[in-house]
Amino acid sequence: MSNHPFDLTGRVVVITGGNGGLGLGMANTLAELGASVCIWGRNPAKNAAALEAIQKHGGDHSALAVDICDWDQIDAAMAQTLEKYGRVDGMIANAGVGGGPKPFVQRTAQEWRDMLSANVEGVVRCFQVAAMHMMERAAQGDAFGRLICTSSVASIDGAAFNEHYGASKGALNSLVRATAVEVARHGITVNAILPGYAESEMTAGLMSNDKFVQNVIPRIPMRRFGRPDDYGGIASYLMSGLSSYHTGQCFVIDGGYTIY
C-alpha cells in the first residue's frame, strides 16, 4: 500500500445502497482513491449502472443483489465478498428507507416495523458480519476496520410528521457510540454520517416541491442542497489512516442547516 494517507489502494469497502444517491457519491470517491468497492443493493439494474460508473476509475469493483432487511442475504453477501477479495476493510451501511409525512398518532405498527427493519436492523447485521471478520483479522495481527453508517440530521432535529424515520436514525447514533467503545481494542472505528437535505432518489419528491424548496433553501447557509459528491470526502477520511483515533462520532454534513 502507498504511504500517502488518502491512497486507499488495497482497501476493500462494502457500501450498501451504493447504487445511487449519496452511496454512489461515496463509492465514486473511494474508487477514485484506489479502494476496491463492492456495492450491495436490491436492484440489479441499478447495481450494474453504478458499477459501470465507478469502473471508470479503474480497480477491481463489484456489485451484489442484497436486501438488507434479510439477514440471510447479508450473511451470504459477506461470504461472497470475502471469497472474492479475501478481506473487507470498511462497511458503509448506507442503505435505508425514507418516511412518508403523516401525523404521529396515525402511524401504524407495521410502518414502524418496516422502518426499523431497514434503517436499524439491517445496519446492525451489516456491522455484525463486518466486525466479526475485522476482529478475526486483528487477532492475526492485521488490526484495521471501519464501520460507518448513514444517519440523518433528522436524528437531532425535530422530524415532525416523520418521527419514525428520525427515531430510526437516532438509534443509529446510539449504536455507533456503544459499538465504538466495544470494538476499539481491535483497531476498528465506528462513526455515523448525518446528511442534511441532499439530492437523491429518496428526496426527489421534496426537491420537486417548489414550496418546500423556497422555504428550506434560505435556512441553509450554503444556499443549496447537498449533492452525492459532497459525501465522498468524509467517507474517504473515515476510511483512511488519518481517522484511526476518531471513533464514536456523528459527522453532520448539512451545509450549515442545523446551526442556522
Side-chain angles (χ1 to χ4, degrees):
M1 294 183 185
S2 166
N3 290 324
H4 192 286
F6 281 110
D7 184 348
L8 301 180
T9 302
R11 296 298 184 196
V12 178
V13 186
V14 170
I15 306 181
T16 71
N19 58 11
L22 308 191
L24 182 54
M26 292 186 238
N28 261 314
T29 303
L30 293 171
E32 187 175 7
L33 294 175
S36 293
V37 176
C38 184
I39 291 169
W40 292 6
R42 289 186 298 179
N43 187 317
K46 284 183 61 180
N47 288 354
L51 185 57
E52 183 178 359
I54 66 174
Q55 282 176 333
K56 67 184 179 185
H57 301 296
D60 186 11
H61 312 297
S62 58
L64 296 172
V66 186
D67 182 349
I68 61 162
C69 292
D70 186 329
W71 283 28
D72 289 339
Q73 289 191 35
I74 293 173
D75 294 356
M78 188 65 180
Q80 287 179 262
T81 305
L82 290 175
E83 182 178 2
K84 176 175 175 58
Y85 295 106
R87 63 187 292 124
V88 168
D89 298 287
M91 169 63 74
I92 302 181
N94 166 76
V97 297
K102 191 175 186 178
F104 165 66
V105 295
Q106 295 177 16
R107 190 75 62 186
T108 68
Q110 191 58 51
E111 286 176 301
W112 273 96
R113 294 188 191 104
D114 291 343
M115 179 64 69
L116 296 176
S117 174
N119 288 4
V120 181
E121 294 174 16
V123 174
V124 167
R125 189 55 184 168
C126 286
F127 273 14
Q128 284 180 331
V129 296
M132 286 186 282
H133 161 69
M134 293 167 182
M135 290 164 69
E136 289 173 0
R137 281 209 340 265
Q140 297 166 5
D142 182 11
F144 182 96
R146 300 290 189 262
L147 303 178
I148 304 162
C149 68
T150 300
S151 178
S152 170
V153 296
S155 66
I156 55 177
D157 279 350
F161 299 98
N162 209 6
E163 75 296 325
H164 63 331
Y165 178 76
S168 72
K169 296 302 187 175
L172 294 186
N173 299 351
S174 295
L175 172 69
V176 158
R177 287 190 285 267
T179 310
V181 173
E182 185 173 344
V183 301
R185 69 198 68 181
H186 304 285
I188 304 168
T189 66
V190 192
N191 292 284
I193 299 171
L194 279 60
Y197 287 110
E199 298 170 358
S200 69
E201 290 183 15
M202 185 184 295
T203 61
L206 286 176
M207 302 302 171
S208 63
N209 185 319
D210 290 340
K211 183 177 180 180
F212 169 82
V213 172
Q214 291 169 8
N215 279 284
V216 173
I217 286 293
R219 296 173 59 191
I220 302 174
M222 298 292 288
R223 293 299 188 268
R224 68 172 178 85
F225 294 119
R227 297 185 293 260
D229 59 1
D230 288 321
Y231 298 87
I234 187 62
S236 301
Y237 166 69
L238 291 175
M239 277 306 308
S240 77
L242 293 174
S243 66
S244 61
Y245 201 59
H246 208 160
T247 194
Q249 299 302 309
C250 297
F251 292 82
V252 176
I253 313 292
D254 68 349
Y257 176 80
T258 54
I259 63 168
Y260 184 51

